[in-house]
Tab-separated table of all heavy atoms in Angstrom:
chain	number	residue	atom	x	y	z
A	2	TYR	N	13.996	96.912	20.853
A	2	TYR	CA	13.083	96.525	21.822
A	2	TYR	C	13.021	94.953	21.990
A	2	TYR	O	13.137	94.429	23.087
A	2	TYR	CB	11.613	97.017	21.458
A	2	TYR	CG	10.572	96.506	22.366
A	2	TYR	CD1	10.485	96.923	23.665
A	2	TYR	CD2	9.546	95.618	21.846
A	2	TYR	CE1	9.439	96.443	24.476
A	2	TYR	CE2	8.606	95.128	22.672
A	2	TYR	CZ	8.487	95.618	24.011
A	2	TYR	OH	7.533	95.057	24.828
A	3	LEU	N	13.032	94.284	20.886
A	3	LEU	CA	13.029	92.825	20.891
A	3	LEU	C	14.328	92.203	21.451
A	3	LEU	O	14.320	91.230	22.153
A	3	LEU	CB	12.641	92.205	19.568
A	3	LEU	CG	11.186	92.369	19.163
A	3	LEU	CD1	10.908	92.140	17.739
A	3	LEU	CD2	10.285	91.450	20.089
A	4	LEU	N	15.341	92.911	21.102
A	4	LEU	CA	16.751	92.436	21.593
A	4	LEU	C	16.719	92.604	23.125
A	4	LEU	O	17.296	91.710	23.787
A	4	LEU	CB	17.811	93.267	20.955
A	4	LEU	CG	19.306	92.779	21.253
A	4	LEU	CD1	19.438	91.405	20.735
A	4	LEU	CD2	20.204	93.738	20.529
A	5	SER	N	16.122	93.593	23.643
A	5	SER	CA	16.000	93.722	25.067
A	5	SER	C	15.160	92.605	25.809
A	5	SER	O	15.431	92.298	26.847
A	5	SER	CB	15.487	95.079	25.488
A	5	SER	OG	14.177	95.165	25.385
A	6	LEU	N	14.214	92.114	25.027
A	6	LEU	CA	13.352	90.988	25.482
A	6	LEU	C	14.022	89.717	25.331
A	6	LEU	O	14.018	88.812	26.241
A	6	LEU	CB	12.051	91.045	24.846
A	6	LEU	CG	11.147	92.130	25.023
A	6	LEU	CD1	9.832	91.932	24.211
A	6	LEU	CD2	10.656	92.224	26.491
A	7	THR	N	14.709	89.457	24.145
A	7	THR	CA	15.142	88.093	23.865
A	7	THR	C	16.646	87.913	24.302
A	7	THR	O	17.010	86.750	24.401
A	7	THR	CB	14.984	87.871	22.345
A	7	THR	OG1	15.947	88.711	21.638
A	7	THR	CG2	13.643	87.965	21.858
A	8	HIS	N	17.412	88.950	24.153
A	8	HIS	CA	18.818	88.876	24.419
A	8	HIS	C	19.566	88.081	23.330
A	8	HIS	O	20.676	87.587	23.578
A	8	HIS	CB	19.230	88.377	25.820
A	8	HIS	CG	18.529	89.177	26.829
A	8	HIS	ND1	18.982	90.434	27.247
A	8	HIS	CD2	17.484	88.856	27.690
A	8	HIS	CE1	18.117	90.901	28.193
A	8	HIS	NE2	17.288	90.019	28.503
A	9	ARG	N	18.948	87.884	22.180
A	9	ARG	CA	19.585	87.068	21.149
A	9	ARG	C	19.315	87.836	19.784
A	9	ARG	O	18.170	88.058	19.431
A	9	ARG	CB	18.967	85.617	21.088
A	9	ARG	CG	19.172	84.933	22.377
A	9	ARG	CD	18.742	83.506	22.191
A	9	ARG	NE	19.798	82.939	21.264
A	9	ARG	CZ	19.900	81.652	21.009
A	9	ARG	NH1	19.081	80.793	21.624
A	9	ARG	NH2	20.812	81.239	20.175
A	10	GLU	N	20.395	88.192	19.089
A	10	GLU	CA	20.246	88.930	17.852
A	10	GLU	C	19.452	88.174	16.838
A	10	GLU	O	18.589	88.789	16.149
A	10	GLU	CB	21.662	89.248	17.295
A	10	GLU	CG	22.378	90.200	18.215
A	10	GLU	CD	23.852	90.545	17.602
A	10	GLU	OE1	24.141	90.126	16.469
A	10	GLU	OE2	24.570	91.202	18.308
A	11	GLU	N	19.752	86.987	16.677
A	11	GLU	CA	18.899	86.185	15.610
A	11	GLU	C	17.446	86.167	15.847
A	11	GLU	O	16.647	86.328	15.042
A	11	GLU	CB	19.477	84.741	15.485
A	11	GLU	CG	20.977	84.642	15.311
A	11	GLU	CD	21.860	84.706	16.582
A	11	GLU	OE1	21.253	84.359	17.669
A	11	GLU	OE2	22.898	85.160	16.510
A	12	THR	N	17.120	85.929	17.166
A	12	THR	CA	15.708	85.801	17.518
A	12	THR	C	15.065	87.178	17.378
A	12	THR	O	13.930	87.257	16.830
A	12	THR	CB	15.555	85.321	18.970
A	12	THR	OG1	16.310	84.070	19.164
A	12	THR	CG2	14.140	85.121	19.380
A	13	ALA	N	15.789	88.294	17.763
A	13	ALA	CA	15.170	89.593	17.633
A	13	ALA	C	15.038	89.950	16.220
A	13	ALA	O	13.911	90.522	15.849
A	13	ALA	CB	16.176	90.602	18.334
A	14	GLU	N	15.909	89.551	15.273
A	14	GLU	CA	15.770	89.838	13.903
A	14	GLU	C	14.560	89.090	13.310
A	14	GLU	O	13.739	89.663	12.561
A	14	GLU	CB	17.051	89.446	13.138
A	14	GLU	CG	18.159	90.372	13.296
A	14	GLU	CD	19.412	89.943	12.588
A	14	GLU	OE1	19.378	89.094	11.773
A	14	GLU	OE2	20.447	90.428	12.964
A	15	GLU	N	14.448	87.822	13.702
A	15	GLU	CA	13.372	87.018	13.143
A	15	GLU	C	12.011	87.563	13.620
A	15	GLU	O	11.105	87.649	12.812
A	15	GLU	CB	13.529	85.586	13.670
A	15	GLU	CG	12.460	84.611	13.299
A	15	GLU	CD	12.738	83.250	13.853
A	15	GLU	OE1	13.858	82.786	13.942
A	15	GLU	OE2	11.731	82.609	14.358
A	16	ILE	N	11.856	87.921	14.918
A	16	ILE	CA	10.594	88.421	15.403
A	16	ILE	C	10.269	89.799	14.873
A	16	ILE	O	9.189	90.153	14.543
A	16	ILE	CB	10.608	88.450	16.977
A	16	ILE	CG1	10.758	86.982	17.495
A	16	ILE	CG2	9.271	89.048	17.521
A	16	ILE	CD1	10.968	86.880	18.988
A	17	THR	N	11.359	90.613	14.573
A	17	THR	CA	11.131	91.962	14.013
A	17	THR	C	10.549	91.727	12.611
A	17	THR	O	9.598	92.474	12.253
A	17	THR	CB	12.477	92.685	13.910
A	17	THR	OG1	12.965	92.842	15.253
A	17	THR	CG2	12.224	94.119	13.345
A	18	GLN	N	11.069	90.830	11.802
A	18	GLN	CA	10.554	90.563	10.519
A	18	GLN	C	9.022	90.081	10.549
A	18	GLN	O	8.225	90.608	9.835
A	18	GLN	CB	11.387	89.431	9.787
A	18	GLN	CG	12.739	89.849	9.552
A	18	GLN	CD	12.941	90.975	8.514
A	18	GLN	OE1	12.072	91.195	7.721
A	18	GLN	NE2	14.065	91.618	8.590
A	19	GLU	N	8.818	89.245	11.493
A	19	GLU	CA	7.414	88.767	11.692
A	19	GLU	C	6.513	89.905	12.149
A	19	GLU	O	5.323	89.942	11.716
A	19	GLU	CB	7.391	87.557	12.763
A	19	GLU	CG	6.047	86.985	12.998
A	19	GLU	CD	5.502	86.233	11.794
A	19	GLU	OE1	6.306	85.813	10.955
A	19	GLU	OE2	4.233	86.067	11.772
A	20	THR	N	7.092	90.749	12.929
A	20	THR	CA	6.294	91.934	13.505
A	20	THR	C	5.803	92.803	12.237
A	20	THR	O	4.597	93.156	12.201
A	20	THR	CB	7.079	92.775	14.436
A	20	THR	OG1	7.404	92.035	15.511
A	20	THR	CG2	6.346	94.027	14.813
A	21	PHE	N	6.714	93.090	11.354
A	21	PHE	CA	6.388	93.939	10.201
A	21	PHE	C	5.443	93.235	9.205
A	21	PHE	O	4.627	93.823	8.582
A	21	PHE	CB	7.622	94.462	9.524
A	21	PHE	CG	8.173	95.652	10.301
A	21	PHE	CD1	9.211	95.542	11.286
A	21	PHE	CD2	7.667	96.920	10.152
A	21	PHE	CE1	9.675	96.551	11.932
A	21	PHE	CE2	8.198	98.025	10.886
A	21	PHE	CZ	9.218	97.768	11.767
A	22	PHE	N	5.484	91.922	9.190
A	22	PHE	CA	4.688	91.075	8.348
A	22	PHE	C	3.231	91.219	8.897
A	22	PHE	O	2.309	91.478	8.173
A	22	PHE	CB	5.166	89.709	8.266
A	22	PHE	CG	4.206	88.810	7.424
A	22	PHE	CD1	4.113	88.901	6.068
A	22	PHE	CD2	3.357	87.843	8.117
A	22	PHE	CE1	3.195	88.112	5.382
A	22	PHE	CE2	2.557	87.028	7.396
A	22	PHE	CZ	2.448	87.150	6.028
A	23	LYS	N	3.111	91.079	10.234
A	23	LYS	CA	1.806	91.173	10.902
A	23	LYS	C	1.245	92.592	10.716
A	23	LYS	O	0.042	92.819	10.541
A	23	LYS	CB	1.964	90.773	12.347
A	23	LYS	CG	2.106	89.281	12.553
A	23	LYS	CD	2.150	88.887	13.942
A	23	LYS	CE	2.302	87.404	14.177
A	23	LYS	NZ	2.260	86.960	15.533
A	24	ALA	N	2.111	93.566	10.884
A	24	ALA	CA	1.752	94.971	10.784
A	24	ALA	C	1.197	95.274	9.340
A	24	ALA	O	0.159	95.943	9.204
A	24	ALA	CB	2.898	95.889	11.059
A	25	MET	N	1.854	94.653	8.405
A	25	MET	CA	1.431	94.874	6.999
A	25	MET	C	0.077	94.314	6.798
A	25	MET	O	-0.795	94.878	6.142
A	25	MET	CB	2.391	94.131	6.091
A	25	MET	CG	2.138	94.344	4.550
A	25	MET	SD	3.312	93.468	3.469
A	25	MET	CE	2.948	91.788	3.889
A	26	LYS	N	-0.217	93.139	7.416
A	26	LYS	CA	-1.558	92.533	7.237
A	26	LYS	C	-2.678	93.254	7.966
A	26	LYS	O	-3.763	93.198	7.613
A	26	LYS	CB	-1.474	91.056	7.821
A	26	LYS	CG	-0.697	90.175	6.885
A	26	LYS	CD	-0.672	88.672	7.200
A	26	LYS	CE	-1.249	88.229	8.471
A	26	LYS	NZ	-1.067	86.856	8.788
A	27	SER	N	-2.208	94.014	9.059
A	27	SER	CA	-3.298	94.634	9.884
A	27	SER	C	-3.154	96.088	9.903
A	27	SER	O	-3.719	96.756	10.815
A	27	SER	CB	-3.299	94.083	11.265
A	27	SER	OG	-2.005	94.299	11.960
A	28	VAL	N	-2.393	96.686	8.977
A	28	VAL	CA	-2.214	98.220	9.056
A	28	VAL	C	-3.550	98.914	8.904
A	28	VAL	O	-3.745	100.028	9.472
A	28	VAL	CB	-1.271	98.689	7.953
A	28	VAL	CG1	-1.776	98.582	6.595
A	28	VAL	CG2	-0.728	100.025	8.298
A	29	GLY	N	-4.520	98.332	8.274
A	29	GLY	CA	-5.867	98.963	8.189
A	29	GLY	C	-6.595	99.062	9.496
A	29	GLY	O	-7.489	99.923	9.712
A	30	SER	N	-6.204	98.202	10.478
A	30	SER	CA	-6.883	98.248	11.765
A	30	SER	C	-6.177	99.228	12.746
A	30	SER	O	-6.660	99.417	13.849
A	30	SER	CB	-6.947	96.845	12.396
A	30	SER	OG	-5.617	96.432	12.670
A	31	PHE	N	-5.096	99.854	12.316
A	31	PHE	CA	-4.430	100.820	13.180
A	31	PHE	C	-5.356	102.008	13.325
A	31	PHE	O	-5.566	102.652	12.267
A	31	PHE	CB	-3.022	101.185	12.670
A	31	PHE	CG	-2.289	102.270	13.417
A	31	PHE	CD1	-1.979	101.935	14.744
A	31	PHE	CD2	-2.013	103.402	12.950
A	31	PHE	CE1	-1.249	102.922	15.463
A	31	PHE	CE2	-1.402	104.441	13.731
A	31	PHE	CZ	-1.042	104.180	14.912
């Protein structure tokens, strides 16, 4: 999904990592 937005593998990987970090911090609010 992020690769389709960014068109850059490195950026998509970086944001994916950040996404899961944020999800880990807020999983209780899901």
Side-chain angles (χ1 to χ4, degrees):
Y2 172 70
L3 285 165
L4 188 59
S5 74
L6 293 176
T7 65
H8 305 288
R9 300 190 67 170
E10 291 180 8
E11 307 82 29
T12 305
E14 287 177 16
E15 180 182 318
I16 298 173
T17 301
Q18 296 295 336
E19 181 68 21
T20 297
F21 280 96
F22 178 72
K23 287 181 178 183
M25 181 179 70
K26 290 184 352 185
S27 62
V28 74
S30 68
F31 177 65

